[in-house]
Amino acid sequence: MLILGLDIATVSGFAWYEPGSSLSSIKTGLIKAVGDNAEEKAASLATQMVAMFKPGRPDFVAIEQPMRNIKSFRKTKTDLAGVMDEQTVNPNALQLEGLVCAAVAIIAAYRIPWECVPSTTWRKHFLGMGRSPGFDRQMWKRAAIERCRVLKIDVKNADAAEAVGIAMAGEACQRFKMARAA
């Protein structure tokens, strides 16, 4: 059974993984969602996924689960009135949920079973640790690239490397196991 792993963002990594096959047979790549706003980017991602499914569809799709809670942070800005502190959020975090929903809509329209896998779950499965104090975003990305290099999996960047980890963790999902048994 063929698993498609997706690390969805404005530049989404993808990995095609067939459990039991050579790890060097994993195919990876990137999809860039283009547009001036969240809706156009979602439409771009969706049409590229449809094109990706034309030559062959996966049997299962594993997607990195977006953060369910958007964290606010303090930002200091200076204007003519002086220095001001304000609470804000990263607008890209809000857009990510829309991109994941666009991907899920396409996957569901093809009636392909899918699962959202939390980052701590796929990292534990792929890297051997789901959390590590002091690890920032870039350190996790470097760890995914290094793991792919050790396994001799060709990846173009960190997004594709993370998609490999997501795809491999997809094999451990209950939905995948049920689909394989059916």
Side-chain angles (χ1 to χ4, degrees), residues 139-156:
M139 292 174 87
W140 284 114
K141 289 185 175 296
R142 275 194 298 275
I145 289 172
E146 284 304 312
R147 180 74 174 142
C148 286
R149 286 190 182 136
V150 166
L151 297 173
K152 301 198 182 335
I153 301 168
D154 184 36
V155 292
K156 293 170 183 36

Side-chain angles (χ1 to χ4, degrees), residues 99-175:
L99 292 174
V100 170
C101 289
V104 167
I106 295 301
I107 294 161
Y110 278 97
R111 299 201 183 339
I112 300 168
W114 58 274
E115 182 79 37
C116 281
V117 181
S119 59
T120 54
T121 301
W122 76 255
R123 287 174 179 155
K124 175 76 173 155
H125 185 86
F126 187 61
L127 301 173
M129 59 183 174
R131 299 177 198 268
S132 184
F135 260 50
D136 65 5
R137 185 172 181 256
Q138 291 307 315
M139 292 174 87
W140 284 114
K141 289 185 175 296
R142 275 194 298 275
I145 289 172
E146 284 304 312
R147 180 74 174 142
C148 286
R149 286 190 182 136
V150 166
L151 297 173
K152 301 198 182 335
I153 301 168
D154 184 36
V155 292
K156 293 170 183 36
N157 71 7
D159 298 315
E162 289 185 340
V164 170
I166 296 161
M168 293 178 99
E171 182 180 10
C173 292
Q174 193 64 32
R175 278 192 195 159

Side-chain angles (χ1 to χ4, degrees), residues 45-104:
L45 178 73
T47 55
Q48 290 179 70
M49 285 185 65
V50 167
M52 185 189 314
F53 290 173
K54 288 221 191 273
R57 294 183 354 202
D59 299 301
F60 184 79
V61 180
I63 305 165
E64 182 178 47
Q65 182 180 53
M67 286 191 301
R68 299 294 189 211
N69 57 337
I70 304 300
K71 295 180 182 173
S72 65
F73 60 94
R74 185 172 303 292
K75 180 178 175 182
T76 304
K77 70 180 202 178
T78 306
D79 59 14
L80 294 175
V83 177
M84 289 181 15
D85 280 343
E86 64 179 26
Q87 286 291 114
T88 188
V89 297
N90 180 353
N92 291 332
L94 301 172
Q95 193 176 84
L96 183 60
E97 183 77 28
L99 292 174
V100 170
C101 289
V104 167

Side-chain angles (χ1 to χ4, degrees), residues 13-45:
F14 65 85
W16 295 89
Y17 167 60
E18 188 160 5
S21 295
S22 166
L23 294 180
S24 63
S25 70
I26 294 174
K27 302 291 181 234
T28 64
L30 302 170
I31 298 172
K32 182 165 177 40
V34 295
D36 293 331
N37 54 49
E39 295 81 9
E40 289 177 5
K41 289 178 182 179
S44 172
L45 178 73

